Amino acid sequence: MTGCRIFVVEDDAGIADATKSALEKWGFDAKCAENFADVMSEFSSFDPHLVLLDIMLPLYNGYYWCDAIRKISNVPVIFISSASDSMNIIMAMEKGGDDFIAKPFDLSVLTAKINALLRRTYDYASIQTISHNGLTLNMSDSSFTVDGVRCELSKNEYRILLTLMENRGTVVSREKLMIALWDTDSFIDDNTLTVNINRLRKKLGAVGMSDYIITRHGMGYQIEK
């Protein structure tokens, strides 16, 4: 969901900057809160699709700001905190939080949770892109971009890459890929799949992503998390 705005309310500058950088790498538009005395002004001006909210903050805690957000918006809120005991998790949910992630957290897990929550919250039809590890797949025109460089894909290449990105972190069998291609205009056999994967890899290699798709011999293909 590239382009979605993520508002990061975190007073630890190191964590905030690292989170912002990771989110931007994955195609999000991220902003970190700067004025912890008036978080709502920044929230309103940025108009985020999702909020990452720490509990322990200067002046007012995350519960206070979640209350304030819920008075004007149903935007999804993910609490992030080292105070991950059951009481704090329950309080976070009762205050209107949608999910809770304990510190320290893996940035890839955080991104997966953000994507899942965005998909549940917003219309699938509005999702025009999917991003992972520096590559953005554009669903509206069957192309991908890497560092601003755009490359067009054939229908088969697009469906292969989309299927692998949707299943990133798991091995996708050749049979599953052929099923994903079955709705195309031409008959798909094992050799056709190989040809299309090789063409896709050539296009990825041209923009420095030659190792983006990994072969798992005897199993299938995978894009790593």
Side-chain angles (χ1 to χ4, degrees):
M1 296 192 66
T2 300
C4 284
R5 296 179 297 279
I6 311 295
F7 187 37
V8 182
V9 187
E10 164 63 66
D11 64 318
D12 184 311
I15 294 175
D17 290 343
T19 302
K20 182 176 185 292
S21 295
L23 292 173
E24 289 175 340
K25 176 183 176 182
W26 285 310
F28 294 107
D29 181 8
K31 173 181 172 55
C32 295
E34 298 175 1
N35 183 2
F36 292 98
D38 191 13
V39 169
M40 291 308 296
S41 291
E42 294 182 35
F43 171 87
S44 297
S45 62
F46 189 52
D47 189 23
H49 293 95
L50 183 143
V51 177
L52 296 178
L53 183 60
D54 192 12
I55 294 176
M56 304 303 293
L57 296 168
L59 303 177
Y60 304 100
N61 65 26
Y63 301 137
Y64 173 90
W65 292 119
C66 192
D67 268 337
I69 289 170
R70 284 292 171 255
K71 289 177 181 177
I72 64 170
S73 173
N74 289 320
V75 64
V77 174
I78 298 178
F79 278 91
I80 50 175
S81 178
S82 56
S84 57
D85 57 279
S86 58
M87 282 302 298
N88 274 296
I89 295 174
I90 292 169
M91 180 68 75
M93 299 300 104
E94 289 183 345
K95 288 294 184 180
D98 297 278
D99 204 341
F100 190 105
I101 297 181
K103 294 180 181 176
F105 52 83
D106 186 305
L107 286 169
S108 62
V109 173
L110 174 65
T111 304
K113 282 181 171 283
I114 288 172
N115 276 318
L117 187 50
L118 288 172
R119 285 195 297 269
R120 291 199 300 268
T121 304
Y122 301 102
D123 185 358
Y124 271 92
S126 67
I127 303 173
Q128 297 297 314
T129 61
I130 181 171
S131 297
H132 182 63
N133 282 354
L135 183 147
T136 298
L137 181 63
N138 309 301
M139 299 180 184
S140 59
D141 63 2
S142 299
S143 70
F144 70 81
T145 55
V146 175
D147 293 331
V149 178
R150 179 178 175 276
C151 180
E152 293 186 359
L153 297 171
S154 70
K155 185 185 295 185
N156 287 351
E157 292 163 354
Y158 166 75
R159 292 196 182 191
I160 291 169
L161 187 55
L162 175 62
T163 302
L164 290 172
M165 291 184 76
E166 288 178 335
N167 294 275
R168 57 191 177 274
T170 60
V171 178
V172 180
S173 68
R174 293 179 64 87
E175 290 77 13
K176 184 172 181 177
L177 287 173
M178 284 191 282
I179 291 171
L181 300 180
W182 192 256
D183 291 333
T184 57
D185 297 331
S186 57
F187 173 73
I188 300 300
D189 59 15
D190 198 65
N191 183 63
T192 303
L193 176 61
T194 300
V195 170
N196 279 277
I197 287 177
N198 288 340
R199 287 175 178 168
L200 175 57
R201 279 179 158 160
K202 185 176 181 180
K203 291 181 178 180
L204 291 168
V207 291
M209 308 289 280
S210 56
D211 296 326
Y212 197 73
I213 298 175
I214 299 170
T215 299
R216 299 299 186 193
H217 294 289
M219 300 171 65
Y221 303 92
Q222 180 180 0
I223 291 176
E224 291 188 327
K225 284 187 176 181

